[in-house]
Amino acid sequence: MSDTSTPPALALAPTPMPTPTPASPAASVTSLVPSRSSSFARRPRKQFVDTSLASTTAPSSAISLSSGSASPMPTSPRLFALETTNTSMQPSPDGPRGRAQPSGPSTSIAPLQLPDAMRTTSPPPPSAMSEAVALSKGPGLMRRISRGAANKLSRRRPSSSHVRDRDHSSGPVLMRGRSDSYGNSELGRGDDDFDDNPAVEPAEGFVGWEPGREGPTSPSRGSPASAIPGPGVGPVVPASLQKGTVLTKITKKKKKTLKFVLDIDTAKVYWDPTKPSKRFYIDDIREIRVGSDARNYREDFQVAAEYESRWFTILYADEARTKGRPVKSIHLIAPDDHSLILWTATLEIVSRYRIGMMAGLAAQSDVSIKAHWHREMGRRFAGQTRTEGDEQLDLDGVESLCRSLHINCAQSYLRAQFAMADRNNTGSLDLAGFIEFIRRLKERQDLRVIYKAAAADEERGIDLEEFLGFVRETQGVDVDADRSHWETVFDKYAKRSKAKEIVPPPSDAEGEPCPRIRSETFAAYLVSSSFNPALRVSARSEKLDRPLNEYYISSSHNTYLLGRQVAGESSIEAYIRALRRGCRCVEVDCWDGADGRPVVNHGRTLTSKVLFSDCIATISKYAFLATPYPLIISLEVHCCPEQQVVMADILKATLGDRLLLDPLMTNALVLPSPEELKYRVLIKVKSGEEPEESLGVSEPVVGRRHRSVSSPLTQPLTLDVSNVGDVSNASNTAITASPTSTSSSELAASLWSNATSRGAITAGTVTSASSATDDSDTKDGGPGVERKKKRKPSKIVRPLGDLGVYTRGQKYVNFALPESKSYNHVFSFAERTFEGLCRDGDVKAQLDKHNVRHLMRVYPSGFRINSSNFDPNKFWRRGVQMAALNWQTYDLGVQMNDAMFAAGVDRTGYVLKPETLRQPRRRMDADLLETEKKLVTFSIEMISAQQLPRPRGWSSDRSLDPYIVLEFFCADDKAKGAATGEGGLDASARNGMSGIGLPHRRRTKIIQGNGYNPIFNDKFHLSLETKFPELVFVRWTVYNSTDGRSYGDKNGALATYTAKLSSLQQGYRHLPLFDTRGERFLFSTLFCHIKKTNSISVSREDAKSGKVESLKLFGRSLFNSTITVQRKNSVEGRKTSAESRKNSVEERKSSVEERKTSVEGRKKSKDGDV
């Protein structure tokens, strides 16, 4: 079939709803728009309507996934391999940049050119002027209103300069959560190590191109990854894709046949060159789903099953966050199987090729550098013949190429390196000069200093014993615990050094070559995230064998939401993202579906709906992808009894044997351990009761107890622990806490009542800002509740309630009732309700005691309509196991949660609580434990940063002036002098207070004009008194000074990284950096030296004295002595203090006696005179 043939009309699957016959194209589209009571329905445009698609109702879910089981291979035809020797995938239509156009024909043909059959000129990309005109056309009034005021104000259109920079990019800068449809593992996760990952290892040669092959050949069906070329191998892009092929684009409202073009020069796919919104970049692709993996999308759009083999869905990141969504999707149907394979295989392989190219550049691979050079030459000469002597770049050309490689350093620095690489003073660089230029740019002088200190003989290199000594003494690693592993690491890097050596290595006494590590490979070891990670690695013997209640559990709130709480989108993609990140407790809010099928959404709001069955199918598929330990599904049930039975049937049928239906041991009165519950799914739901009436459709509940007494009408108090700001000011996701208001309930009720009267709330119901929940534990009525009518809570039917085996939801009344002491109950509290309980000292003590043996879940206030989060330390310190957060917002709360579950065995989603929160306190020790604290001391030397990201919209000729802010968070109440620090600039509160909501802050100096490799060399020392050393967190945030002199944290952060102090390893470590959405940068890192000391107990007298200066001196001395000496000095210090106090008492007694004697003497003298 021809590539430009039009697919037949789609046959729709039968639908239970009647569909009217369209009388006109406009009527056809109108019938596709779901009927809504809201007045914000958008009027369709007639000229873009294709009436070959029969009208139908809108799908029940906006975004969904296949409900089938995971399969390592698709059901579609086999994937083709696309390989060639060409490293310039397609000549650019742009003219040469940075050098004059060569005149006259060349005498030879370059060996790395595409054959004539493949050198098809693609349609020219849109010009800067057309892009600017297209960008100036803002959305219509109705669309802006429907998206909400907050989204309208936060959205920023991409500038033309930003578009040009993206078009000229040589590869991605972010590690997208990539996962292809063939079951391959994610590419670009946070633990990937480019220099050690075989998938991106630079190829040492080129694969030969097979003449006459327009299409690729088929590899082995069982190994699709074998088709992925290395960075030195350029994939052949079929000419048909560059010309454009006709595909059918499916949306909720209509289907259209459009011409899709793959522009390989800019690495993007577009279907309307005049509109920037009608395209996506290959570097933004997160996932491509075909076959059964995309079945739920097809079923949601009610397209017949015969099209499944040609259906594919592409998920890609949305920089503009349209409608608050971080990810967008496009659903396509290919005209034939061959076109499907060409598109999916090409996009997959080109994406991996570009990642490999950038990874090879980071590893300073000559093959990757040559590949980038040949790609640039292919662009400049645009298919013309040339000789090797013609391939040169002047300074302007080198600067342009560096920008495409995301090397953003000062122009003066580039010119200096260019001059040193241009040894012949010709004003241009050939390939050899360009390789030397890149090596000079990548050279790390800060690592060279460390190498000199570690090597006894700098010229000979580091031998095995010197390497082990460095790892043991400087890096603080127990080498003897696994010496064979470290010997293997040494051999790995020694072989690399040997391969790069020109002179044979020195020999030992027996004449055998003595393996050594040279400077370049030693630097590669220090940079490696596999062999020199910043966070500790779990021991193989570690097991999670304690009861479930003794662990912190990684938990999510309203997991189904991709955006805001009131008008966001519900999607199974949110479950996929959370489960891939290791979440172990997901939430499902269940409501009655119109057709008898339960749905999931944020009830009585503008959020979209997704089928309950789709959510459970997705959870079943991804439940144990990241960790094998138990998953908890927290059900918030608002369904009638009849649909509750349907829910129970879906859970049993979909989860199968993994669903826990009965206790593991019948007579046990304690919860089992995560080890015993591996690969099991637990349901958190209230216990079932027999309904008073027969099963039937019950009346919907109008307004239940609200989740919080906070009000969106009161001015929020922004804590001094603000989240990382967005450079583009896209959203304000600072951690906030609403002030207490005596009339908050009435104000909130008025707000939502007025919104309902205006038609803003669907179905004409009155609601709170959050969906009503059966787990809510507040006692007073919520917003929108008619106080005259007291409605009984809906009952859970027994088939559903019986699924709550070890996690049975229980309504809180007080901690003295028998049901509050059952071993398998779970209390759920809104954050404000929990804080209210803690204001009473007796209740707070009972709460702490409860959480030693029983489970508890705390979720954010329902009035956090922008999906912000609380500080989880407030609840972790009370022993709360499940601090549920809005994972779609990457603010401080989520950053701390990621840090809590980031290292070693913690990555399982379960972290053992501190011993003081796991052991019941004896009454005689209660007072002592209340005041006992630990003194935590550590130091961080902020050495340098590498390839810091640029602010969005920042012009290419502007340099960065970066500085770094370090913040230290603890789980203690605010106190003066609780944390003291030295080094850098103090940015903490002026009154010296620190604690919950108020971290201790310090800043580095500003480095002017260098965001590529700034050297800070700032040392920070910190002493911290805390009851919970395990809950101390450190956050690094990179900012840019707007004028190069002043600090301004409100300008927006460039990147951030948060770590739990106990998880950080000592020594020289590279810290990864993340953007404001939680995605890791490929190359941007911070280089630090970390030193920690064991925490020691602080006596009650010292804790109450508040002598800050004494603690400063004491903390500073800890860095200059060993642990044994520290403890000895501490004991001796306390003895000396006691002796001093004793001597002081004796001196006062002596002084009293002397004064008494003096008085008596004077009295006798007077008597004598008389």
Side-chain angles (χ1 to χ4, degrees):
M1 184 177 293
S2 173
D3 294 327
T4 59
S5 61
T6 302
L10 299 180
L12 297 182
T15 173
M17 301 297 294
T19 56
T21 303
S24 66
S28 174
V29 176
T30 305
S31 65
L32 295 179
V33 181
S35 60
R36 300 175 60 179
S37 59
S38 173
S39 61
F40 299 147
R42 203 179 82 194
R43 182 169 298 174
R45 293 174 293 180
K46 300 180 181 180
Q47 60 269 29
F48 294 107
V49 176
D50 189 328
T51 59
S52 60
L53 178 62
S55 60
T56 181
T57 57
S60 59
S61 59
I63 298 181
S64 60
L65 180 69
S66 171
S67 58
S69 59
S71 173
M73 291 295 296
T75 57
S76 57
R78 287 180 293 179
L79 171 68
F80 288 143
L82 304 178
E83 297 182 354
T84 181
T85 58
N86 184 22
T87 56
S88 178
M89 291 182 286
Q90 177 68 22
S92 172
D94 296 338
R97 295 171 294 170
R99 67 185 304 276
Q101 179 77 8
S103 60
S106 177
T107 57
S108 61
I109 299 177
L112 298 178
Q113 287 295 312
L114 285 172
D116 294 336
M118 298 300 298
R119 290 201 303 268
T120 304
T121 304
S122 60
S127 64
M129 179 61 68
S130 64
E131 290 175 347
V133 173
L135 288 172
S136 65
K137 298 178 180 179
L141 177 61
M142 299 306 295
R143 179 180 296 183
R144 292 202 304 268
I145 294 176
S146 64
R147 289 179 180 176
N151 189 43
K152 179 187 67 175
L153 295 174
S154 64
R155 190 174 65 255
R156 173 179 290 184
R157 301 187 186 99
S159 63
S160 59
S161 61
H162 175 71
V163 173
R164 286 195 300 270
D165 290 342
R166 291 226 59 183
D167 287 347
H168 296 157
S169 173
S170 296
V173 295
L174 291 172
M175 287 185 176
R176 302 294 184 188
R178 287 297 324 274
S179 176
D180 61 29
S181 55
Y182 304 102
N184 295 331
S185 60
E186 290 184 70
L187 185 61
R189 291 186 57 180
D191 55 354
D192 281 344
D193 191 14
F194 298 128
D195 57 330
D196 304 304
N197 190 347
V200 294
E201 187 73 11
E204 295 300 332
F206 295 107
V207 179
W209 176 77
E210 184 178 343
R213 187 185 68 184
E214 199 276 341
T217 58
S218 300
S220 170
R221 185 178 181 88
S223 57
S226 62
I228 300 174
V233 184
V236 171
V237 178
S240 58
L241 301 188
Q242 300 182 59
K243 295 177 184 177
T245 63
V246 174
L247 300 174
T248 304
K249 183 174 179 288
I250 307 295
T251 65
K252 291 188 293 184
K253 299 180 180 65
K254 56 184 177 294
K255 71 99 174 178
K256 294 175 64 176
T257 53
L258 301 167
K259 186 177 182 180
F260 284 77
V261 178
L262 173 57
D263 186 352
I264 198 62
D265 287 323
T266 59
K268 68 183 177 186
V269 176
Y270 63 88
W271 51 98
D272 188 346
T274 64
K275 296 181 180 180
S277 61
K278 306 300 182 182
R279 68 186 174 194
F280 63 86
Y281 288 91
I282 296 179
D283 294 337
D284 291 337
I285 294 178
R286 287 178 177 269
E287 192 166 356
I288 300 176
R289 296 179 188 159
V290 298
S292 61
D293 286 341
R295 180 176 302 158
N296 273 34
Y297 288 111
R298 178 185 57 78
E299 292 177 348
D300 280 347
F301 296 123
Q302 300 183 12
V303 177
E306 62 183 285
Y307 295 95
E308 180 170 293
S309 62
R310 294 186 276 121
W311 179 294
F312 63 105
T313 294
I314 301 174
L315 305 175
Y316 58 95
D318 181 15
E319 285 190 346
R321 293 186 72 91
T322 307
K323 299 181 181 179
R325 297 176 300 180
V327 179
K328 295 181 70 174
S329 61
I330 182 170
H331 312 284
L332 304 168
I333 298 179
D336 51 59
D337 293 340
H338 179 71
S339 298
L340 171 74
I341 296 304
L342 284 182
W343 273 106
T344 56
T346 302
L347 292 177
E348 291 279 5
I349 293 176
V350 171
S351 176
R352 279 162 170 73
Y353 169 78
R354 290 172 63 83
I355 294 175
M357 288 275 286
M358 300 304 291
L361 180 66
Q364 302 185 39
S365 165
D366 289 349
V367 176
S368 292
I369 298 175
K370 292 178 181 178
H372 284 290
W373 173 268
H374 290 303
R375 177 177 179 271
E376 183 67 15
M377 292 298 105
R379 282 182 172 182
R380 292 174 180 277
F381 287 92
Q384 300 180 12
T385 57
R386 62 187 184 276
T387 63
E388 185 176 347
D390 294 331
E391 295 184 349
Q392 293 187 356
L393 286 177
D394 60 6
L395 179 59
D396 292 337
V398 169
E399 288 182 358
S400 175
L401 181 55
C402 285
R403 285 195 294 270
S404 72
L405 299 176
H406 307 291
I407 299 176
N408 301 307
C409 51
Q411 191 176 32
S412 58
Y413 183 75
L414 273 179
R415 290 178 177 178
Q417 301 304 317
F418 180 90
M420 288 186 285
D422 182 19
R423 297 185 177 182
N424 297 327
N425 296 323
T426 60
S428 61
L429 298 179
D430 56 8
L431 176 58
F434 180 71
I435 293 176
E436 183 179 355
F437 170 77
I438 293 295
R439 286 181 175 176
R440 288 182 176 275
L441 284 179
K442 295 288 184 178
E443 188 176 4
R444 295 279 303 276
Q445 294 297 332
D446 51 349
L447 301 185
R448 182 76 180 180
V449 174
I450 302 172
Y451 169 77
K452 292 180 179 180
D457 189 335
E458 181 183 349
E459 297 297 329
R460 292 167 59 89
I462 299 176
D463 60 18
L464 175 60
E465 293 303 322
E466 290 173 345
F467 176 76
L468 296 180
F470 173 82
V471 174
R472 181 187 300 108
E473 298 171 6
T474 304
Q475 302 298 86
V477 178
D478 186 3
V479 175
D480 298 330
D482 195 359
R483 183 182 175 92
S484 60
H485 165 74
W486 291 106
E487 290 178 349
T488 302
V489 173
F490 174 82
D491 292 338
K492 173 185 176 67
Y493 287 99
K495 289 179 180 178
R496 282 194 187 181
S497 297
K498 183 178 180 181
K500 295 183 179 181
E501 285 180 347
I502 301 177
V503 179
S507 303
D508 57 14
E510 300 177 357
E512 296 292 332
C514 181
R516 290 178 179 270
I517 295 178
R518 303 301 297 272
S519 175
E520 291 184 3
T521 48
F522 183 74
Y525 156 73
L526 289 177
V527 174
S528 172
S529 60
S530 296
F531 301 108
N532 190 41
L535 303 179
R536 57 179 171 81
V537 182
S538 61
R540 299 175 183 176
S541 59
E542 289 187 74
K543 289 187 177 182
L544 308 181
D545 53 4
R546 301 296 304 169
L548 200 64
N549 53 278
E550 296 190 13
Y551 291 90
Y552 295 123
I553 304 173
S554 181
S555 305
S556 170
H557 170 250
N558 287 354
T559 315
Y560 48 87
L561 288 179
L562 288 175
R564 304 192 314 143
Q565 302 291 310
V566 176
E569 183 173 1
S570 303
S571 170
I572 60 170
E573 298 299 334
Y575 286 103
I576 295 174
R577 186 169 185 264
L579 292 172
R580 280 178 171 170
R581 293 169 62 186
C583 182
R584 292 293 85 194
C585 179
V586 296
E587 185 177 19
V588 183
D589 290 0
C590 313
W591 297 80
D592 289 332
D595 56 356
R597 296 185 296 174
V599 296
V600 175
N601 79 320
H602 205 184
R604 307 187 187 95
T605 63
L606 296 178
T607 57
S608 59
K609 300 176 182 178
V610 61
L611 284 175
F612 176 77
S613 58
D614 288 348
C615 293
I616 300 304
T618 302
I619 292 172
S620 176
K621 182 176 180 178
Y622 293 90
F624 304 105
L625 187 66
T627 168
Y629 289 95
L631 173 69
I632 302 173
I633 300 178
S634 178
L635 295 181
E636 186 175 304
V637 182
H638 304 267
C639 296
C640 65
E642 191 175 59
Q643 294 200 21
Q644 290 183 35
V645 175
V646 176
M647 290 174 54
D649 293 340
I650 292 174
L651 289 168
K652 293 177 182 178
T654 306
L655 299 175
D657 295 337
R658 290 182 294 184
L659 178 62
L660 190 69
L661 299 176
D662 300 296
L664 301 180
M665 299 181 63
T666 56
N667 297 326
L669 295 179
V670 294
L671 293 174
S673 67
E675 204 74 37
E676 297 171 317
L677 293 171
K678 271 187 174 181
Y679 298 103
R680 305 305 294 268
V681 178
L682 308 180
I683 303 298
K684 176 188 170 292
V685 64
K686 285 192 174 182
S687 58
E689 299 178 5
E690 292 294 342
E692 297 178 0
E693 300 177 358
S694 59
L695 292 181
V697 180
S698 61
E699 180 184 356
V701 178
V702 182
R704 295 184 187 274
R705 297 171 300 273
H706 72 301
R707 293 190 177 197
S708 172
V709 298
S710 61
S711 171
L713 297 180
T714 56
Q715 181 68 27
L717 296 178
T718 303
L719 303 180
D720 202 8
V721 289
S722 59
N723 70 305
V724 176
D726 194 341
V727 175
S728 62
N729 295 326
S731 61
N732 181 17
T733 55
I735 293 182
T736 59
S738 300
T740 303
S741 175
T742 57
S743 60
S744 59
S745 298
E746 291 78 359
L747 289 173
S750 175
L751 170 70
W752 293 106
S753 298
N754 293 336
T756 305
S757 64
R758 293 190 301 267
I761 305 299
T762 60
T765 57
V766 184
T767 182
S768 66
S770 164
S771 61
T773 171
D774 290 334
D775 290 333
S776 179
D777 292 306
T778 52
K779 297 181 180 181
D780 54 340
V785 175
E786 297 181 9
R787 300 184 184 277
K788 295 181 180 180
K789 297 181 180 180
K790 186 175 181 181
R791 185 177 297 275
K792 295 181 180 180
S794 63
K795 297 179 180 179
I796 305 298
V797 299
R798 187 170 296 279
L800 182 61
D802 287 347
L803 300 181
V805 180
Y806 289 122
T807 49
R808 179 163 297 175
Q810 183 66 47
K811 168 68 180 177
Y812 168 76
V813 179
N814 59 59
F815 292 108
L817 295 178
E819 53 265 29
S820 300
K821 300 177 182 179
S822 59
Y823 79 102
N824 62 342
H825 79 274
V826 182
F827 282 149
S828 290
F829 293 102
E831 58 171 305
R832 301 283 297 193
T833 305
F834 185 94
E835 292 170 353
L837 292 176
C838 292
R839 294 190 185 100
D840 188 312
D842 294 335
V843 176
K844 182 172 67 173
Q846 295 176 22
L847 188 148
D848 292 345
K849 182 179 179 181
H850 170 274
N851 291 341
V852 172
R853 297 189 180 276
H854 308 290
L855 293 175
M856 183 174 289
R857 179 176 178 267
V858 177
Y859 50 85
S861 166
F863 289 91
R864 292 182 179 269
I865 58 176
N866 63 344
S867 295
S868 61
N869 290 291
F870 49 66
D871 184 347
N873 253 350
K874 290 195 296 185
F875 309 104
W876 285 336
R877 66 175 180 172
R878 297 297 172 204
V880 174
Q881 293 84 0
M882 292 173 279
L885 300 171
N886 295 311
W887 283 39
Q888 67 269 34
T889 305
Y890 192 67
D891 55 9
L892 175 62
V894 172
Q895 292 169 29
M896 293 176 67
N897 190 80
D898 287 351
M900 169 66 82
F901 300 96
V905 73
D906 298 347
R907 300 182 67 180
T908 61
Y910 288 85
V911 173
L912 192 65
K913 295 195 295 184
E915 186 176 1
T916 56
L917 299 178
R918 293 185 287 117
Q919 302 296 333
R921 300 180 181 180
R922 294 179 298 175
R923 185 170 301 178
M924 59 182 299
D925 296 336
D927 184 63
L928 178 62
L929 292 175
E930 183 66 24
T931 57
E932 186 179 83
K933 290 187 177 182
K934 300 284 187 179
L935 181 63
V936 178
T937 55
F938 56 96
S939 66
I940 297 176
E941 182 181 358
M942 191 62 249
I943 301 174
S944 62
Q946 293 74 45
Q947 287 190 249
L948 294 177
R950 299 173 64 82
R952 188 178 180 183
W954 203 260
S955 60
S956 57
D957 57 343
R958 294 187 64 181
S959 59
L960 296 180
D961 302 314
Y963 65 94
I964 300 172
V965 175
L966 278 76
E967 298 169 286
F968 309 96
F969 302 90
C970 66
D972 299 84
D973 292 324
K974 297 177 186 178
K976 189 173 183 179
T980 59
E982 295 180 354
L985 301 175
D986 191 357
S988 303
R990 295 182 179 180
N991 57 6
M993 300 285 286
S994 61
I996 288 286
L998 198 61
H1000 182 82
R1001 285 192 178 99
R1002 308 201 77 82
R1003 294 192 187 111
T1004 67
K1005 56 180 172 287
I1006 298 174
I1007 304 299
Q1008 296 184 354
N1010 187 0
Y1012 179 70
N1013 55 358
I1015 303 295
F1016 297 96
N1017 285 333
D1018 281 334
K1019 298 181 180 180
F1020 303 91
H1021 302 274
L1022 192 79
S1023 299
L1024 175 68
E1025 285 187 22
T1026 176
K1027 299 177 186 178
F1028 311 100
E1030 300 88 349
L1031 299 179
V1032 176
F1033 293 84
V1034 185
R1035 181 167 75 167
W1036 291 259
T1037 307
V1038 183
Y1039 291 95
N1040 178 50
S1041 175
T1042 54
D1043 57 5
R1045 298 182 301 275
S1046 60
Y1047 295 93
D1049 297 356
K1050 295 182 179 180
N1051 295 329
L1054 302 180
T1056 184
Y1057 178 69
T1058 306
K1060 187 168 55 174
L1061 181 62
S1062 59
S1063 298
L1064 282 171
Q1065 296 203 94
Q1066 297 192 84
Y1068 293 100
R1069 307 288 174 176
H1070 282 84
L1071 310 178
L1073 288 175
F1074 296 81
D1075 69 355
T1076 55
R1077 303 176 189 176
E1079 297 194 52
R1080 178 181 166 183
F1081 290 101
L1082 276 170
F1083 317 116
S1084 304
T1085 57
L1086 300 178
F1087 186 48
C1088 304
H1089 181 266
I1090 301 169
K1091 186 175 182 180
K1092 301 187 295 184
T1093 59
N1094 289 355
S1095 58
I1096 61 174
S1097 298
V1098 179
S1099 65
R1100 296 184 63 184
E1101 290 78 5
D1102 291 339
K1104 294 180 179 180
S1105 64
K1107 295 181 178 180
V1108 178
E1109 295 300 328
S1110 299
L1111 288 175
K1112 282 185 178 180
L1113 297 174
F1114 183 59
R1116 191 185 309 160
S1117 67
L1118 291 174
F1119 295 103
N1120 302 319
S1121 60
T1122 62
I1123 297 174
T1124 303
V1125 173
Q1126 295 166 9
R1127 292 175 177 172
K1128 181 178 179 181
N1129 290 342
S1130 177
V1131 173
E1132 292 178 352
R1134 286 196 294 270
K1135 289 182 177 179
T1136 303
S1137 178
E1139 291 176 356
S1140 299
R1141 289 193 294 271
K1142 183 178 179 181
N1143 294 336
S1144 178
V1145 172
E1146 295 294 337
E1147 290 175 357
R1148 288 197 294 271
K1149 288 182 179 180
S1150 300
S1151 177
V1152 171
E1153 293 293 337
E1154 290 177 356
R1155 288 197 296 271
K1156 184 178 180 181
T1157 303
S1158 176
V1159 170
E1160 292 178 350
R1162 287 196 296 272
K1163 184 178 180 180
K1164 290 180 179 180
S1165 176
K1166 291 180 180 180
D1167 293 340
D1169 295 338
V1170 173

